[in-house]
């Protein structure tokens, strides 16, 4: 048993369209945006689209799904207007997960934009506590994504992720998404089997491997510890193939949705190639 390999799939034309696209490139899990990721407001999900989405889920072999949040959301923002908009948008995303019966909601832990790491973490966690209170029925787990550490973004260390979860009351509603490109850019060296083991043991010690629910598999265009987030096709970037061999054979991660967020071509060839490459690394 290995990972449940998948890809970020376009939901253009309706979220129901994303599943067939994912199947078309050979994915068995997939990630979508549940609304336009670059706009604050979005129309509610059309009930007919939702119905077709559930039918597609039955028809295709795609079982594990992930929603990625909009890039605009910043629950750690000290600016009241942005924070308020973020609260509304975040709650809306969680409701969409509920409607679509998607259990994993991946979110970036935001940016403190000058208020400081500690204050940013406090604000982020407090916001989640408020949202959890507002939405007691939602069962989707919020998965904090590890970040590359660009600018004032939070989540560049395992300690920052752990500190957020620590301050959230409903811990069962919290998980983690580990992005290989981001942790590498943030200074976690997974290029060798020894390095990989050290980093994952650190993750387990600081956060707990049982919190890990989603993987983002991306190589990196940028060098180690650059704090820059630029995804590269698997095996040809600065991380290299060995790290991915370690991940797909790590028994502790077996069964997790492992999502490609690498550049795509219109025919889906890049995704197909990356998925075949990853599956080929699994030791038999
Ligand atoms: Zn990612
Ligand atoms: Zn990224």
């Amino acid at each position: 048993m290995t990972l449940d390999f998948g890809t970020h799939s376009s939901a253009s034309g309706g979220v129901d369209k994303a599943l067939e696209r994912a199947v078309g490139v050979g994915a068995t899990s997939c990630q979508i945006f549940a609304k336009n990721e670059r706009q604050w407001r979005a129309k509610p999900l059309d009930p007919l689209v939702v119905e077709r989405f559930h039918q597609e889920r039955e028809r295709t072999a795609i079982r594990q799904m992930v929603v990625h949040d909009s890039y605009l959301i910043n629950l750690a923002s000290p600016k009241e207007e942005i924070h308020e908009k973020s609260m509304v948008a975040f709650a809306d995303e969680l409701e969409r997960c509920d409607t679509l019966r998607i259990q994993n909601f991946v979110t970036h832990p935001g940016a403190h934009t000058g208020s400081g790491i500690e204050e940013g973490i406090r604000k982020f966690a407090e916001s989640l506590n408020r949202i959890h209170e507002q939405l007691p029925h939602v069962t989707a787990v919020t998965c904090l994504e590890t970040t590359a550490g660009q600018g004032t973004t939070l989540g560049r260390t395992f300690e920052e992720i752990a500190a957020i979860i620590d301050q959230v009351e409903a811990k069962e509603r919290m998980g983690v998404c580990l992005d290989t490109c981001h942790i590498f850019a943030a200074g976690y060296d997974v290029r060798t089997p020894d390095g990989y083991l050290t980093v994952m043991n650190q993750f387990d010690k600081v956060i707990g491997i049982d919190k890990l629910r989603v993987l983002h598999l991306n190589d990196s265009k940028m060098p180690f510890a650059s704090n820059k987030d630029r995804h590269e096709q698997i095996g040809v970037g600065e991380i290299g193939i060995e790290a991915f061999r370690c991940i797909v054979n790590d028994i502790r991660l077996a069964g997790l949705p492992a999502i490609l967020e690498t550049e795509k071509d219109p025919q889906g060839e890049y995704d197909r190639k990356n998925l075949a490459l990853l599956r080929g690394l699994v030791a038999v």
Side-chain angles (χ1 to χ4, degrees):
M1 182 154 168
T2 180
L3 302 168
D4 190 359
F5 295 108
T7 186
H8 185 97
S9 194
S10 164
S12 101
V15 286
D16 55 314
K17 302 282 199 304
L19 289 101
E20 182 54 42
R21 284 184 190 122
V23 170
V25 296
T28 56
S29 66
C30 97
Q31 174 175 281
I32 57 169
F33 291 120
K35 65 188 200 47
N36 187 316
E37 73 277 16
R38 300 191 190 277
Q39 285 173 14
W40 281 111
R41 287 187 177 283
K43 282 185 299 188
L45 286 166
D46 178 343
L48 281 172
V49 170
V50 173
E51 198 186 315
R52 282 204 299 270
F53 174 85
H54 290 308
Q55 283 164 0
E56 279 295 275
R57 199 119 169 234
E58 282 297 313
R59 187 183 68 79
T60 63
I62 305 281
R63 289 291 171 266
Q64 297 203 72
M65 287 202 63
V66 177
V67 166
H68 194 298
D69 74 334
S70 143
Y71 292 126
L72 299 171
I73 292 178
N74 184 8
L75 291 181
S77 177
K79 298 196 185 84
E80 216 25 65
E81 198 198 331
I82 292 179
H83 184 256
E84 264 320 302
K85 277 182 172 173
S86 297
M87 290 290 283
V88 173
F90 193 98
D92 178 50
E93 298 252 23
L94 271 180
E95 296 267 29
R96 280 166 197 258
C97 289
D98 205 49
T99 305
L100 298 171
R101 292 182 223 132
I102 294 178
Q103 288 303 314
N104 299 302
F105 175 52
V106 168
T107 182
H108 290 218
H112 65 73
T113 66
S115 64
I117 292 172
E118 213 174 304
E119 171 57 17
I121 287 173
R122 191 200 61 75
K123 183 106 184 194
F124 187 90
E126 181 201 46
S127 308
L128 281 180
N129 284 332
R130 266 174 59 194
I131 288 166
H132 286 163
E133 228 169 89
Q134 276 170 32
L135 303 173
H137 59 283
V138 169
T139 57
V141 172
T142 297
C143 302
L144 304 174
E145 180 164 358
T146 57
T147 61
Q150 220 152 346
T152 65
T153 52
L154 301 168
R156 73 179 71 188
T157 64
F158 298 157
E159 283 77 8
E160 288 182 17
I161 300 269
I164 294 171
I165 296 174
D166 196 48
Q167 292 178 41
V168 173
E169 276 153 40
K171 296 197 175 19
E172 72 284 0
R173 295 177 74 162
M174 300 303 295
V176 176
C177 168
L178 185 139
D179 185 308
T180 51
C181 169
H182 298 176
I183 60 166
F184 177 75
Y188 292 98
D189 194 350
V190 290
R191 284 173 290 194
T192 62
D194 273 356
Y196 173 79
L197 212 64
T198 306
V199 168
M200 289 313 280
N201 286 342
Q202 223 174 320
F203 183 97
D204 191 29
K205 212 174 123 204
V206 176
I207 299 172
I209 208 118
D210 56 318
K211 282 278 170 220
L212 191 50
R213 291 177 61 97
V214 179
L215 297 167
H216 283 170
L217 300 185
N218 304 304
D219 210 324
S220 174
K221 279 193 204 295
M222 293 299 175
F224 176 62
S226 60
N227 293 126
K228 291 201 174 78
D229 178 15
R230 296 278 307 283
H231 300 182
E232 179 57 284
Q233 306 293 335
I234 303 297
V236 296
E238 296 284 330
I239 299 178
I241 202 72
E242 282 315 309
F244 296 98
R245 194 190 306 280
C246 294
I247 291 174
V248 304
N249 291 300
D250 189 335
I251 193 77
R252 297 175 293 183
L253 313 181
L256 292 183
I259 307 292
L260 289 170
E261 293 177 316
T262 43
E263 194 194 332
K264 296 175 193 299
D265 61 315
Q267 285 74 38
E269 277 310 312
Y270 295 172
D271 270 357
R272 239 171 255 130
K273 219 175 120 194
N274 283 322
L275 290 171
L277 178 64
L278 288 165
R279 289 192 176 109
L281 295 174
V282 179
V284 280

